Amino acid sequence: MFALVLAALSFAAVAASAQPAADEIQKRLDAATPGSVIDITSGSLKLAQPLVMIKSGTAEQPVVIRARNKGGTTIEGNAGFLLKGAGHVVIEGFLFAGDNTRPAIELIDCTSVRITRNRFRLSNAAAPRQNWIHIHGGLSTKNRIDRNLFEGLTVPGAFIAIDGSEKEPYQISKGDLIEFNYFKDIPTGEKPGARAIRLGWTGLGESVGQTVIENNLFENCDGDDEMISVRSSGQTIRFNTFRNCSGYVTLRLGSDNAIDSNFFLASPKEENVGAVRVGGKNARVMNNYMEGMSLPAVAMPNGAKASHPGQVPRVAADGAAIVFNTLVDCLAGSFDISDDDAGRWPEQPTNCIVANNVAIAYKANLINTHGRGEGVKWLGNIMYHAGDRSKIGLDLPDDQINVTIPKLRNPGDFWRLGPNSPAIDSALGDFDFVVNDIEGQTRSKKKDAGCDELVAGTPKKPLTDADVGTDAP
């Protein structure tokens, strides 16, 4: 161990007065063993080809590739790091600012690689399509992307794309974790396809990934209308905050995906901001808070199979549960059901339920079913329109939609249940998968409707930039 530390220190000393050449760093990567620390001094490193890592550390002794001073080493040029079959490697503290024609970091069949406290700000000029971090290969598993800053994607692609094998049997990367990152500034009006995160593609629709996207902040991600696009199964998106992001977190296809306990927030006059678009089998959308959306907050559109090889199919929701959410002043409505896009998508949602939600609005109808919606049942919802009862959008019995003032209060962070709210203890039905509320507090045996259970405890607020990114705790 002493020899490894001495080698790392010697390398840093040699490079202290000058940025090491790419071939010198590559030699260090080739010679890495468990516990190696590859310290790269401050300055600019321009790469024509990626630095390739095929060696592995261990859980106790990872291989660490890091900038000596966080943010002080800039990776420029056309490439970054390529890891193939590597495991237990940490990439830390770099600024990626190249004109890349390939990913800044690419993982192929990697295990337990950690990408942490880096800043990604690629120029995009040389790439017609670009994924800044791309994880793929059917053997990839348990990689972690945390406490990074991503900003300024302007071409089709994603800040983070997770795929898997490219041949049958298809398997998406499994068990990855994306947490405490700050995603920002995908400009409005860019070409379709510029999104924050993509999980899978059509061939991976039924492949179970078990990736968790949690505790991230998304701001002004305004490119594609699928801001996060899920095209695989068994994925979880929870505890995140979305501020003024155009488009939707979209479950395009796949099964058993969950969107749980997120904040979706929009400023006045912010255009094209939605929250959740639901498709696929057995989706669960629960405990979310949505305020000020300028598009319908929850969209459950029709679907269809791909009509030509270049089209991505959209699977209509089957067995979806939209439950225990709170929706406040969503300007284009709270729920939009069975939109067929002028006949383009003929297959309607089936066997779905919208239950125990709290919704209040002042302008548009709360519900729009486009004259359809037979495959959606309603239960235990509390809704109120300040202008006209008819603007609820559906006239249903009180046990399905109780039209009454929900009596919310806002202590300064978001609208919660007041002490006299009719939503208290009002939930109907057996939804045993809903255990906690948006704040992580355990729900009582007789649950409250909406995202917030009225119990004593430390309030949880939407995330800010102080909670995420390169300086996050």
Side-chain angles (χ1 to χ4, degrees):
M1 183 65 179
F2 175 78
L4 292 173
V5 173
L6 180 61
L9 292 174
S10 299
F11 173 70
V14 169
S17 60
Q19 179 70 35
D23 57 354
E24 185 180 355
I25 298 172
Q26 185 62 62
K27 289 178 182 178
R28 294 286 301 169
L29 297 177
D30 293 341
T33 58
S36 292
V37 177
I38 301 168
D39 232 0
I40 301 178
T41 53
S42 297
S44 178
L45 182 63
K46 193 167 186 177
L47 299 177
Q49 299 294 329
L51 295 167
V52 179
M53 181 65 175
I54 59 173
K55 299 299 181 67
S56 295
T58 66
E60 295 76 20
Q61 292 186 301
V63 175
V64 179
I65 308 166
R66 70 185 182 192
R68 174 183 285 184
N69 299 304
K70 185 179 67 177
T73 303
T74 302
I75 306 296
E76 297 182 316
N78 295 321
F81 291 99
L82 170 60
L83 283 69
K84 297 192 292 186
H88 298 289
V89 175
V90 178
I91 300 175
E92 181 176 2
F94 295 96
L95 167 60
F96 293 89
D99 190 12
N100 292 41
T101 55
R102 59 187 306 161
I105 300 177
E106 184 174 8
L107 310 183
I108 305 174
D109 290 326
C110 290
T111 301
S112 300
V113 170
R114 184 181 182 190
I115 301 169
T116 186
R117 300 193 188 278
N118 302 284
R119 183 176 181 180
F120 295 84
R121 192 182 60 200
L122 306 185
S123 73
N124 305 136
R129 177 175 291 273
Q130 186 181 74
N131 298 314
W132 289 11
I133 293 178
H134 193 192
I135 299 175
H136 56 120
L139 301 179
S140 287
T141 184
K142 296 181 180 178
N143 300 294
R144 181 183 180 193
I145 303 170
D146 70 288
R147 296 170 174 82
N148 302 284
L149 169 62
F150 299 85
E151 56 181 337
L153 177 65
T154 60
V155 296
F159 287 136
I160 299 173
I162 296 182
D163 291 313
S165 50
E166 298 179 356
K167 298 180 180 178
E168 294 183 354
Y170 294 122
Q171 175 60 54
I172 195 169
S173 180
K174 293 190 69 173
D176 298 315
L177 177 61
I178 301 172
E179 63 174 350
F180 295 107
N181 299 286
Y182 188 10
F183 300 91
K184 59 183 292 192
D185 298 343
I186 301 176
T188 302
E190 295 301 327
K191 296 177 181 178
R195 52 178 58 97
I197 299 173
R198 177 178 56 78
L199 301 181
W201 57 284
T202 304
L204 295 169
E206 296 307 312
S207 180
V208 176
Q210 297 176 325
T211 286
V212 176
I213 301 172
E214 65 181 13
N215 295 310
N216 302 282
L217 173 60
F218 299 80
E219 283 192 319
N220 301 313
C221 293
D222 295 339
D224 194 84
D225 71 344
E226 296 184 10
M227 174 186 45
I228 295 179
S229 183
V230 179
R231 307 177 183 194
S232 47
S233 296
Q235 315 287 26
T236 300
I237 300 168
R238 65 187 183 190
F239 315 148
N240 304 286
T241 298
F242 299 86
R243 294 182 184 273
N244 297 327
C245 293
S246 296
Y248 289 93
V249 175
T250 300
L251 306 181
R252 178 102 190 187
L253 43 83
S255 59
D256 300 302
N257 295 305
I259 301 175
D260 181 11
S261 301
N262 302 281
F263 289 98
F264 295 89
L265 307 169
S267 302
K269 299 183 180 180
E270 196 72 25
E271 297 181 352
N272 300 317
V273 178
V276 177
R277 183 187 286 143
V278 185
K281 296 180 180 179
N282 302 324
R284 292 176 176 176
V285 179
M286 58 191 183
N287 293 328
N288 299 285
Y289 180 84
M290 310 169 196
E291 182 177 355
M293 304 294 103
S294 51
L295 295 175
V298 177
M300 194 187 300
N302 284 9
K305 298 179 176 63
S307 60
H308 56 80
Q311 185 186 41
V312 178
R314 184 166 75 188
V315 177
D318 180 22
I322 317 298
V323 297
F324 294 94
N325 302 285
T326 298
L327 306 94
V328 176
D329 195 19
C330 294
L331 305 180
S334 296
F335 300 96
D336 193 86
I337 310 296
S338 290
D339 184 5
D340 65 0
D341 193 12
R344 182 183 177 197
W345 307 103
E347 299 175 4
Q348 295 189 46
T350 54
N351 305 310
C352 299
I353 189 164
V354 179
N356 300 320
N357 301 284
V358 172
I360 184 169
Y362 304 94
K363 294 184 179 180
N365 285 8
L366 283 161
I367 303 167
N368 187 356
T369 64
H370 300 272
R372 293 178 287 272
E374 296 85 356
V376 178
K377 295 181 179 180
W378 303 79
L379 179 68
N381 300 283
I382 293 178
M383 298 188 183
Y384 181 75
H385 195 288
D388 188 337
R389 181 186 178 98
S390 68
K391 288 190 174 181
I392 298 298
L394 287 177
D395 186 11
L396 295 173
D398 286 351
D399 64 339
Q400 299 179 46
I401 298 178
N402 182 8
V403 180
T404 186
I405 299 174
K407 297 182 181 179
L408 306 179
R409 61 185 178 88
N410 189 341
D413 42 21
F414 66 98
W415 290 93
R416 308 163 182 266
L417 300 185
N420 299 314
S421 173
I424 296 171
D425 296 340
S426 71
L428 301 177
D430 183 14
F431 299 95
D432 56 2
F433 56 85
V434 181
V435 177
N436 299 322
D437 71 354
I438 192 171
E439 298 180 302
Q441 298 170 133
T442 302
R443 288 186 178 269
S444 58
K445 185 176 181 180
K446 197 168 185 180
K447 301 181 178 75
D448 301 344
C451 70
D452 177 43
E453 189 83 3
L454 187 64
V455 296
T458 303
K460 178 180 178 181
K461 298 182 179 181
L463 295 170
T464 70
D465 57 5
D467 303 310
V468 297
T470 58
D471 295 321

